[in-house]
Amino acid sequence: MDDRESLLAAALRVLNTADPVEKARLGDEAATKWLQGVITEPYSLSLDFSVPDRPARLANVKLVPPSLMPKLGKAGSLQSRQAIVHSLVHTESWAIDLSWDIIARFGKQEAMPREFFTDFVKVAQDEGRHFSLLAARLEEMGSFYGSFPAHDGLWDSATATSKHLLARLAVEHCVHEARGLDVLPTTISRFRNGGDNKTADLLENVIYPEEITHCAAGVKWFKYVCLRSRGGALSDGDGWSSQEVGASKRNVTVEESDEVIRAFHTTVRTYFRGPLKPPFNETARKTAGFGPEWYEPLATKEVNLE
């Protein structure tokens, strides 16, 4: 990797790498260089790059439609525990791509501030580490990534939101990520009940707390983009300076907060099919920065009274 390349170029290198192990390694390398100031420019003002419609992926995982996925079970047997961990490995493999894709696809296009790049670089680095840890744990359990079928529902959502940053933030980071927060405590309990404390500890002590911060990034930047569109977050014109991020560095009025929540409801109803599934992990969601007023109205189908 050329130290003179931009973060966008590094992101595209990750997206165009098919092997998930190498994808995670390259992502970690790029993230470290950005966070240490070795890579200094988010993107080149003079160069335009094409972001792939679909990241490079190996063909070693059998893909099936979500509706045809076999049941994972409740972690009572070794096979069930393997299937659940395999599902998590697959999810994390896509999470790596999603994190670098939002940087490559929207960072320059939407003239996002430098803090946006840093937040999602941190998310991407976490997701790569999660993939590596879970893949290693799966092998310790006597299995491997590719031994069970999987689905690509996460990337289907990414495709549907590929032209709208607000939609990408809402669906991927405030719906799918938050759904992970809802179900992880039960998953952890099931592994403990099944006698697999090693996997439970990995999920509880590493992955769960870090996933809360990923959801928080989605909430933070959804607010920012909403407020910027109404003049609430000001840009100084270059797109990546250390400008004040309006959504997180000043008090938001009640009117602005209500507007952001309404925009979230409209965006999710437009880009996410069906109602959100309770029960919700209110504590983790609150830590991530959004309360029940964001998601509870989306747990029921909207009724058109016209």
Side-chain angles (χ1 to χ4, degrees):
M1 182 181 296
D2 187 343
D3 292 348
R4 295 169 298 176
E5 74 178 353
S6 67
L7 185 66
L8 171 54
L12 290 172
R13 187 187 301 274
V14 176
L15 293 171
N16 289 320
T17 297
D19 183 350
V21 175
E22 181 67 3
K23 193 184 287 281
R25 188 194 69 78
L26 286 173
D28 182 68
E29 179 181 320
T32 298
K33 287 186 174 183
W34 171 261
L35 296 173
Q36 292 181 349
V38 177
I39 296 177
T40 58
E41 292 190 354
Y43 50 80
S44 169
L45 291 170
S46 60
L47 294 176
D48 288 322
F49 293 93
S50 176
V51 182
D53 292 336
R54 181 182 175 88
R57 308 280 296 187
L58 293 181
N60 64 325
V61 180
K62 179 184 177 182
L63 298 176
V64 299
S67 60
L68 297 181
M69 274 290 293
K71 297 293 185 182
L72 299 178
K74 298 184 178 181
S77 67
L78 175 59
Q79 183 176 6
S80 174
R81 293 191 292 274
Q82 289 172 337
I84 294 170
V85 173
H86 186 278
S87 175
L88 294 171
V89 171
H90 185 68
T91 297
E92 297 292 356
S93 77
W94 272 121
I96 298 170
D97 281 326
L98 285 164
S99 304
W100 289 110
D101 184 83
I102 199 171
I103 289 170
R105 188 174 303 279
F106 296 108
K108 180 178 181 179
Q109 175 183 303
E110 299 293 336
M112 297 301 286
R114 191 177 192 91
E115 193 176 329
F116 171 86
F117 294 92
T118 297
D119 282 355
F120 282 101
V121 161
K122 290 177 179 177
V123 172
Q125 190 172 43
D126 287 349
E127 305 291 24
R129 186 173 62 259
H130 295 177
F131 169 83
S132 299
L133 290 169
L134 285 164
R137 179 63 190 137
L138 184 61
E139 291 187 1
E140 290 174 354
M141 298 167 70
S143 188
F144 60 92
Y145 182 39
S147 59
F148 290 86
H151 70 81
D152 280 355
L154 274 180
W155 194 256
D156 292 342
S157 295
T159 300
T161 59
S162 63
K163 299 186 183 303
H164 303 280
L165 177 55
L166 268 185
R168 174 65 65 84
L169 290 165
V171 173
E172 296 292 0
H173 297 279
C174 301
V175 172
H176 288 309
E177 290 265 19
R179 178 62 179 163
L181 301 182
D182 296 337
V183 302
L184 260 176
T186 298
T187 302
I188 292 166
S189 295
R190 287 176 173 174
F191 273 91
R192 292 209 187 281
N193 292 338
D196 187 349
N197 286 316
K198 187 169 185 178
T199 303
D201 287 344
L202 172 59
L203 295 176
E204 185 170 22
N205 299 328
V206 178
I207 291 171
Y208 180 56
E210 290 181 352
E211 292 295 342
I212 292 175
T213 69
H214 302 172
C215 191
V219 174
K220 168 184 173 179
W221 290 105
F222 186 90
K223 291 177 180 177
Y224 172 83
V225 175
C226 282
L227 294 178
R228 186 175 67 171
S229 68
R230 75 192 304 273
L234 301 178
S235 169
D236 61 8
D238 71 8
W240 69 61
S241 71
S242 57
Q243 68 186 65
E244 177 180 50
V245 177
S248 61
K249 300 274 182 76
R250 67 172 177 80
N251 292 326
V252 177
T253 67
V254 173
E255 178 186 356
E256 288 173 331
S257 180
D258 289 345
E259 182 176 321
V260 169
I261 293 170
R262 286 197 301 271
F264 181 73
H265 292 166
T266 299
T267 304
V268 173
R269 288 186 173 118
T270 301
Y271 290 94
F272 184 77
R273 182 164 44 185
L276 304 189
K277 295 179 180 179
F280 301 111
N281 185 339
E282 293 189 15
T283 300
R285 286 170 175 260
K286 182 178 180 180
T287 302
F290 63 145
E293 67 275 12
W294 282 68
Y295 50 84
E296 284 187 349
L298 298 170
T300 57
K301 291 185 178 179
E302 186 177 28
V303 177
N304 189 343
L305 299 178
E306 294 183 1

